[in-house]
Amino acid sequence: MNQGQKKKPRRSQVVDAKVFVDRVKLLMEGKGLTSSELADRADLARSAMTLFFAGERKPSADAVVKLAQALGASTDFLLGVSDESKSEELLQHPKVAELVRLFLSLSAKEQDRILEMVRLFCKTSVD
């Protein structure tokens, strides 16, 4: 292998176990769940959760999906690919939550019109 080439991570190295465990624990804390309760909600063996948390086993893709669904998060967030927490904080703002709720109640055509109006508004307010 040339020095300039990056070594492709092995499949088992794709998931950063520490990031995964930290994020699962963070979301568990926020929801007031124990690892046993989370395992039950995600339909996973409690022993699997113990192994994940100990860093002795990495989760399968299926386990990541189940945990994400049980925690109300994205798989990307659990795997450290994205920082979903920023969008979650934004949705806690009452005005943003209302805008999202109202926007989602519109038809696709109406949503497109609203987006165009907002873009136009932003363009004229900056100038």
Side-chain angles (χ1 to χ4, degrees):
M1 182 182 306
N2 294 340
Q3 285 183 336
Q5 292 178 327
K6 284 189 175 181
K7 187 177 177 183
K8 184 177 177 181
R10 291 190 329 244
R11 186 172 179 220
S12 63
Q13 295 173 326
V14 173
V15 175
D16 183 334
K18 179 167 177 18
V19 169
F20 175 77
V21 169
D22 289 347
R23 291 189 174 194
V24 168
K25 285 183 177 180
L26 174 75
L27 294 171
M28 281 173 48
E29 237 177 67
K31 294 187 178 294
L33 295 172
T34 65
S35 61
S36 296
E37 291 168 332
L38 177 59
D40 292 345
R41 284 187 181 192
D43 194 29
L44 296 172
R46 292 177 180 187
S47 60
M49 296 299 298
T50 302
L51 293 171
F52 295 156
F53 289 153
E56 296 175 19
R57 180 172 161 193
K58 291 191 178 186
S60 67
D62 186 51
V64 172
V65 170
K66 287 179 175 184
L67 288 168
Q69 289 173 341
L71 291 166
S74 71
T75 55
D76 282 353
F77 177 74
L78 291 184
L79 297 173
V81 176
S82 72
D83 188 12
E84 187 178 274
S85 62
K86 290 180 183 177
S87 61
E88 286 179 3
E89 285 177 25
L90 187 60
L91 288 174
Q92 296 303 315
H93 191 286
K95 289 182 181 178
V96 173
E98 181 181 11
L99 281 171
V100 170
R101 183 181 52 76
L102 292 170
F103 185 79
L104 293 174
S105 71
L106 300 172
S107 69
K109 186 176 181 179
E110 292 168 327
Q111 289 176 356
D112 290 341
R113 289 180 60 206
I114 293 296
L115 284 172
E116 197 54 44
M117 283 190 248
V118 170
R119 288 183 189 116
L120 181 61
F121 180 79
C122 289
K123 184 178 178 183
T124 58
S125 67
V126 173
D127 294 337

